[in-house]
Amino acid sequence: MLLAVLIRGEFSVRLLQESLTQTLETCGMIVWIGIGAACLVGVYNLMGGNRFVSSAITGLEVAPFVIVLVMMLMFLLLGMFLDWIGIAMLCLPIFVPIVVELGYDPVWFGILFAVSMQVSYISPPFGPAAFYLKSVAPPDITLTDIFRSMVPFIVIQIAVLGLLLYFPAISTWLL
């Protein structure tokens, strides 16, 4: 606030009230998404969905690494349409026990999840970062231009995800 007053001269009580209102609306939306996802996961687990999916996945006659690859693909696909909170609440209670049962490090899997969610943050059609950029970009820059310019970053993040998949020690060397 001090910088807004002294340097930019833009502070007003109305501006403070609008920013607080917008912050509360955003936080409230995130809380309701979390509550909705928790309810969905709770009902899903009560109905035995997590046990069914877990037994279906662990019963596959494929290499454990293929199972992790499929999980990452699911994260990337879900990330195109859902936010990371919903994906975490829906998938992680199912996937983490499977990953542990397969003998993989859950910290490594958590880092894979975080990187895949970074990809989803900028990937079309609902990449929120693109919409944030559009809100501050000049009017002549279209959303298509923004998504097109994000392609190299998506490729880089997928390459990082591939490196972390094939060389898990990169993500856990500090442990």
Side-chain angles (χ1 to χ4, degrees):
M1 285 192 328
L2 186 62
L3 290 175
V5 171
L6 296 177
I7 295 176
R8 301 212 37 177
E10 294 179 354
F11 180 78
S12 69
V13 174
R14 182 171 181 257
L15 180 66
L16 178 64
Q17 183 181 14
E18 287 175 2
S19 65
L20 288 175
T21 302
Q22 190 173 20
T23 301
L24 285 173
E25 287 174 357
T26 303
C27 290
M29 178 184 64
I30 291 170
V31 167
W32 279 111
I33 289 171
I35 290 170
C39 290
L40 177 67
V41 169
V43 170
Y44 180 79
N45 289 341
L46 285 173
M47 303 276 305
N50 59 342
R51 291 185 301 277
F52 171 75
V53 171
S54 179
S55 63
I57 290 174
T58 55
L60 293 174
E61 296 296 325
V62 296
F65 187 73
V66 173
I67 293 172
V68 174
L69 283 176
V70 170
M71 289 177 183
M72 290 302 109
L73 182 63
M74 289 175 69
F75 285 154
L76 292 173
L77 290 175
L78 286 172
M80 295 174 93
F81 304 103
L82 298 173
D83 69 321
W84 71 271
I85 297 169
I87 296 170
M89 294 187 138
L90 185 63
C91 294
L92 292 182
I94 299 166
F95 288 173
V96 171
I98 294 170
V99 167
V100 171
E101 185 178 328
L102 293 174
Y104 291 112
D105 186 356
V107 172
W108 169 69
F109 187 73
I111 292 170
L112 291 176
F113 174 75
V115 172
S116 63
M117 290 302 100
Q118 287 176 337
V119 175
S120 73
Y121 197 68
I122 63 172
S123 62
F126 297 113
F131 293 98
Y132 298 147
L133 286 171
K134 178 61 181 150
S135 70
V136 297
D140 59 319
I141 306 245
T142 66
L143 197 56
T144 304
D145 295 333
I146 292 171
F147 274 126
R148 195 174 298 131
S149 66
M150 287 184 170
V151 170
F153 297 100
I154 293 171
V155 170
I156 290 169
Q157 287 182 337
I158 290 174
V160 168
L161 186 62
L163 282 173
L164 291 172
L165 278 164
Y166 288 108
F167 303 107
I170 294 173
S171 60
T172 58
W173 68 276
L174 284 175
L175 297 177

